[in-house]
């Protein structure tokens, strides 16, 4: 008995229930020696078209059906019988078959589904079934909006008989290779998720005083939750394969949760009572780490010395940005190198500034000062305002800004790394 399969339309693949719906037709031919006649005895009739219920039909069924077992065709279908006993039967059929899906690369996935036809009671002792061609006829196929059929196969299939040992039931397996059309999912899932991941990072760019930082962080978190729920609704509840997209969304959901927690901690630090002293450990950390918060305070000290300074024959002092703002004595030491002064703080608050020649005495190695006791502008200001030597105190606001900068780069690197890895796995896995 020979088989040929043709597919008219691929209905859809229900990924959640792992069911493939397809419609098509089968061309089955065999020879029945009891239906042979001489056309000359019957007025030259060499072919009869009769209802299928009027002749013997093989007991065929769809083995991997996802619905009730039913016989092929129906009593209203016709069948062709020729005078030499050749019979051609072309029943139309709509199948719903089980198809184990692999959701690992969803929505960039490909699936392989099969439709298995097998004899019910006849074994190869009395009936042998096999394909006439090696692929499915797709000439009459209608296009499908979700899947492309990349390849088809027709294979011989057999199953050992359970009631007649040593014999087997024979049939045909039609294999369909499917590739999902990706444009819809890229525009409606992939791009929005990647954009949301960038918004997740921008939480730490918003000023802490704007009042919308936590609202943005929580909104992004809820958005990831919604997308993860949508993806989960379309996925089969199976652990045999794990969707990369679901893993990506779960990772971004975890990152978003951490960003909400981090944003809350930063806001708590930013709005902490200024009267509450900054612990010495934090002062040491942010002053010695070379973080931008210490650069800002050092540049403020530099501007304090340089603003409104008068012209002087002395060269400008080295950048005070190199001074450590944590110790008053270090600033005085550096100023003594520049100005060659000695500042003595008396108990009554007055200051006695003694100038020393840079070369020692009045020798030629030193630089002469015109006008007797000319004092450089920087040193005169030091005499008037000695408190400016002190470094500005580290505040909770500066710590909050520093943490914002650190967290921005941490979350930026994590988000981009995860996104890059997932996209590479989609392409190459």
């Amino acid at each position: 008995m020979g088989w040929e399969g043709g597919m008219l339309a691929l209905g859809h693949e229900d990924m959640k229930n792992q069911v493939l719906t397809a419609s098509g037709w089968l061309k089955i031919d065999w020879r029945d020696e009891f239906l042979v006649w001489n056309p000359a005895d019957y007025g030259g009739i060499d072919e009869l078209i009769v209802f299928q219920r009027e002749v013997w039909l093989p007991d065929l069924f769809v083995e991997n059906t996802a619905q009730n077992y039913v016989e092929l065709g129906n009593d209203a279908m016709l069948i062709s019988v020729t005078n030499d006993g050749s019979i051609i039967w072309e029943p139309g059929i709509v199948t719903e078959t089980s198809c184990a899906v692999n959701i690992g690369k969803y929505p960039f996935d490909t699936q392989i589904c099969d439709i298995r036809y097998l004899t019910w009671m006849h074994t190869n002792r009395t009936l042998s079934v096999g394909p006439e061609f090696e692929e499915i006829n797709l000439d009459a196929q209608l296009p499908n909006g979700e899947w492309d059929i990349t390849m088809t196969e027709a294979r011989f299939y057999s199953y050992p008989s359970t009631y007649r040992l040593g014999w087997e039931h024979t049939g045909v397996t039609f294999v369909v290779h499917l590739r999902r059309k990706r444009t819809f999912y890229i525009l409606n899932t992939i791009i929005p998720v990647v954009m949301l991941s960038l918004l997740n990072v921008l939480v730490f760019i918003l000023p802490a005083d704007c009042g919308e930082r936590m609202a943005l962080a929580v909104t992004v978190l809820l958005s990831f939750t919604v997308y993860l729920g949508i993806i989960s609704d379309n996925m089969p509840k199976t652990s045999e394969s794990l969707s990369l997209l679901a893993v990506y969304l779960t990772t971004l959901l975890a990152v978003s949760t951490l960003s909400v927690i981090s944003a809350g901690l930063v806001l708590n630090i930013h709005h902490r009572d200024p009267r509450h002293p900054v612990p010495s450990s934090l002062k040491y950390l942010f002053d010695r780490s070379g973080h931008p918060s210490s650069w800002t305070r050092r540049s403020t000290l530099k501007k304090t010395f340089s603003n409104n300074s008068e012209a002087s024959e002395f060269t400008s002092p080295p950048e005070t940005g190199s001074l450590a703002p944590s110790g008053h004595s270090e600033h005085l030491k550096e100023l003594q190198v520049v100005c060659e002064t000695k500042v003595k703080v008396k108990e009554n608050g007055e200051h006695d500034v003694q100038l020393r020649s840079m070369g020692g005495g009045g020798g030629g190695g030193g630089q002469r000062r015109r006008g007797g006791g000319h004092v450089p502008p920087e040193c005169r200001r030091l005499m008037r305002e000695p408190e400016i030597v002190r470094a500005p105190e580290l505040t909770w606001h500066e710590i909050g800004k520093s943490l914002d900068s650190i967290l921005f780069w941490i979350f930026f690197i994590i988000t981009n790394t995860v996104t890059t890895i997932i996209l590479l796995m989609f392409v190459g896995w």
Side-chain angles (χ1 to χ4, degrees):
M1 180 176 292
W3 279 55
E4 178 186 356
M7 184 172 290
L8 295 177
L10 178 67
H12 69 281
E13 182 177 3
D14 186 350
M15 289 191 59
K16 185 175 182 179
N17 297 315
Q18 304 189 70
V19 174
L20 173 68
T21 302
S23 61
W25 51 269
L26 299 172
K27 181 183 178 182
I28 308 173
D29 59 83
W30 70 94
R31 189 173 184 275
D32 190 338
E33 62 271 17
F34 297 105
L35 295 178
V36 178
W37 73 89
N38 186 357
D41 296 338
Y42 296 94
I45 298 176
D46 60 357
E47 181 183 10
L48 295 176
I49 304 296
V50 297
F51 290 106
Q52 70 173 42
R53 65 176 178 271
E54 297 176 350
V55 298
W56 176 88
L57 299 175
D59 55 337
L60 299 169
F61 71 102
V62 180
E63 184 193 33
N64 60 333
T65 182
Q67 55 186 358
N68 295 330
Y69 290 106
V70 295
E71 62 181 4
L72 298 182
N74 56 65
D75 290 342
M77 286 189 176
L78 300 175
I79 194 169
S80 171
V81 182
T82 60
N83 64 298
D84 61 351
S86 298
I87 299 176
I88 298 177
W89 181 31
E90 295 188 352
I93 188 171
V94 176
T95 60
E96 292 184 4
T97 53
S98 299
C99 177
V101 299
N102 186 344
I103 59 175
K105 295 182 67 175
Y106 173 86
F108 300 91
D109 56 328
T110 58
Q111 305 295 337
I112 301 177
C113 299
D114 59 0
I115 305 172
R116 298 193 297 268
Y117 294 92
L118 194 67
T119 57
W120 186 271
M121 291 297 293
H122 284 86
T123 65
N124 57 348
R125 178 174 178 269
T126 57
L127 178 63
S128 180
V129 179
E132 288 187 356
F133 302 95
E134 296 181 352
E135 58 184 17
I136 301 175
N137 188 338
L138 301 177
D139 293 341
Q141 182 208 358
L142 300 176
N144 183 273
E146 186 176 2
W147 297 93
D148 286 326
I149 299 178
T150 59
M151 186 176 68
T152 62
E153 301 175 68
R155 304 172 181 169
F156 174 78
Y157 174 65
S158 64
Y159 188 82
S161 176
T162 57
Y163 77 96
R164 191 178 293 275
L165 300 180
W167 300 92
E168 57 187 16
H169 302 276
T170 58
V172 176
T173 298
F174 295 107
V175 183
V176 182
H177 296 251
L178 304 173
R179 181 178 61 199
R180 190 185 300 274
K181 295 181 179 180
R182 307 163 183 177
T183 305
F184 174 83
Y185 297 94
I186 292 175
L187 292 178
N188 292 274
T189 303
I190 303 299
I191 293 178
V193 167
V194 173
M195 295 174 67
L196 281 175
S197 68
L198 296 178
L199 288 180
N200 199 25
V201 175
L202 294 180
V203 167
F204 299 101
I205 293 183
L206 287 178
D209 295 327
C210 72
E212 299 297 331
R213 172 178 289 191
M214 289 300 296
L216 176 60
V218 174
T219 301
V220 174
L221 175 64
L222 294 178
S223 300
F224 284 132
T225 305
V226 171
Y227 268 102
L228 184 59
I230 294 174
I231 298 300
S232 299
D233 287 341
N234 295 326
M235 296 293 181
K237 294 177 174 59
T238 176
S239 300
E240 294 182 359
S241 59
L242 192 62
S243 171
L244 288 178
L245 181 59
V247 172
Y248 178 51
L249 285 171
T250 303
T251 304
L252 292 181
L253 183 63
V255 172
S256 183
T257 302
L258 293 177
S259 72
V260 172
I261 297 174
S262 301
L265 293 176
V266 171
L267 287 176
N268 181 273
I269 293 174
H270 179 81
H271 294 290
R272 178 163 293 191
D273 189 352
R275 294 172 296 181
H276 191 279
V278 178
S280 58
S281 58
L282 287 180
K283 290 181 180 180
Y284 181 84
L285 177 65
F286 285 93
D287 281 344
R288 299 293 181 180
S289 63
H291 196 267
S293 64
S294 59
W295 303 343
T296 303
R297 297 189 298 108
R298 293 169 186 175
S299 62
T300 302
L301 182 61
K302 175 181 177 181
K303 291 178 182 179
T304 304
F305 277 101
S306 60
N307 287 344
N308 301 324
S309 61
E310 300 176 7
S312 173
E313 63 185 70
F314 287 90
T315 57
S316 298
E319 292 188 3
T320 55
S322 62
L323 303 179
S326 58
H328 181 61
S329 59
E330 293 186 27
H331 294 288
L332 290 178
K333 182 177 180 180
E334 296 292 339
L335 289 173
Q336 286 172 350
V337 173
V338 176
C339 303
E340 294 294 330
T341 64
K342 179 178 180 182
V343 178
K344 295 180 180 179
V345 181
K346 298 182 179 180
E347 293 181 357
N348 59 2
E350 296 179 356
H351 296 75
D352 179 19
V353 179
Q354 299 176 350
L355 297 179
R356 297 181 300 178
S357 63
M358 299 185 65
Q367 193 173 12
R368 297 184 178 276
R369 295 164 175 76
R370 292 187 298 270
H374 179 71
V375 180
E378 294 83 356
C379 297
R380 290 204 303 271
R381 189 170 185 184
L382 177 62
M383 289 188 295
R384 295 194 305 268
E385 306 174 40
E387 68 277 0
I388 65 176
V389 177
R390 296 194 187 98
E393 289 292 332
L394 181 68
T395 65
W396 291 109
H397 178 72
E398 291 175 339
I399 295 177
K401 291 176 64 177
S402 300
L403 290 176
D404 274 339
S405 179
I406 295 173
L407 291 173
F408 169 79
W409 287 109
I410 290 176
F411 281 91
F412 180 81
I413 293 173
I414 292 176
T415 301
N416 283 275
T417 301
V418 171
T419 302
T420 302
I421 292 175
I422 293 296
L423 291 179
L424 289 176
M425 293 179 72
F426 272 136
V427 173
W429 181 36

